[in-house]
Amino acid sequence: MSDTPDQPHFADSLLPYDRWTEEAMREVALRALAHAGEHGLPGEHHFYLTFRTGAPGVVVPGHLRARYPQEMTIVLQHQFWDLKVDRAARQVSVGLSFGGTPSTLVVPFDAITAFLDPQVRLGLRFGPPGEEEGEPEAESEPTDLLPAAEPPPEPPPPGPAQVVSLDAFRRRPGTTRD
């Protein structure tokens, strides 16, 4: 990597700061989900939760896994129930309706790839946990905050839960952050 005015080169660290930062950011998302599960969503807050559908331990209806074989995003806003963060099992579970059919989704912590709260413009992205030096890099984006220049998506209208994509928030190859 070459030094540029926008992205100076930093010395390699013998401390795993990247992993520690990612774990801390994942904890922020889990705390927000746990809070919403216990107290409901305050004000206009709502969450977009993106996860790898093919990850071990993910439970989603078969028709959704077929439609979203790699990754899908759920919106937690008006119509969801039984949102739980189970730290012992290391998973999040939530009830949602898809096409009028109620379903319970189970998402292991390790399968979560993104968390967004558009109310406060907080967006977090996660790679696979436990990635150590020397292992191949994951295909997913590193954890970061969304650039301030990008507007948050419009909240979905009240009604059945919708599956949406966060592609608008992904950095494109060859672009830089401000």
Side-chain angles (χ1 to χ4, degrees):
M1 170 165 71
S2 63
D3 293 344
T4 64
D6 294 337
Q7 295 179 335
H9 176 71
F10 295 103
D12 292 332
S13 174
L14 298 177
L15 296 172
Y17 287 117
D18 290 345
R19 182 169 42 96
W20 292 343
T21 301
E22 180 132 336
E23 288 170 0
M25 294 299 213
R26 191 176 297 268
E27 180 61 25
V28 168
L30 294 173
R31 283 186 179 192
L33 291 166
H35 181 86
E38 293 172 19
H39 307 285
L41 288 165
E44 297 296 315
H45 288 270
H46 56 287
F47 303 146
Y48 291 73
L49 186 66
T50 304
F51 58 93
R52 292 179 290 120
T53 54
V58 170
V59 177
V60 296
H63 70 281
L64 291 176
R65 189 181 306 269
R67 187 170 176 191
Y68 302 98
Q70 295 179 354
E71 190 173 72
M72 77 181 260
T73 297
I74 57 173
V75 180
L76 303 177
Q77 185 172 16
H78 298 296
Q79 298 184 359
F80 67 91
W81 59 91
D82 293 333
L83 174 59
K84 295 182 181 116
V85 175
D86 184 339
R87 292 191 181 274
R90 297 192 42 78
Q91 65 188 21
V92 175
S93 61
V94 65
L96 292 169
S97 286
F98 297 95
T101 304
S103 302
T104 298
L105 278 62
V106 178
V107 181
F109 296 170
D110 295 351
I112 298 171
T113 60
F115 172 86
L116 173 69
D117 182 348
Q119 175 65 25
V120 292
R121 297 182 63 130
L122 174 72
L124 306 170
R125 295 184 192 165
F126 312 107
E131 208 171 89
E132 296 294 331
E133 212 173 299
E135 290 184 18
E137 291 212 12
E139 291 181 22
S140 60
E141 297 285 322
T143 302
D144 61 5
L145 294 177
L146 294 175
E150 295 182 2
E154 292 296 318
Q162 299 176 4
V163 177
V164 297
S165 172
L166 288 180
D167 288 340
F169 294 98
R170 298 195 190 288
R171 287 190 310 246
R172 304 288 186 252
T175 62
T176 59
R177 293 190 309 228
D178 294 324

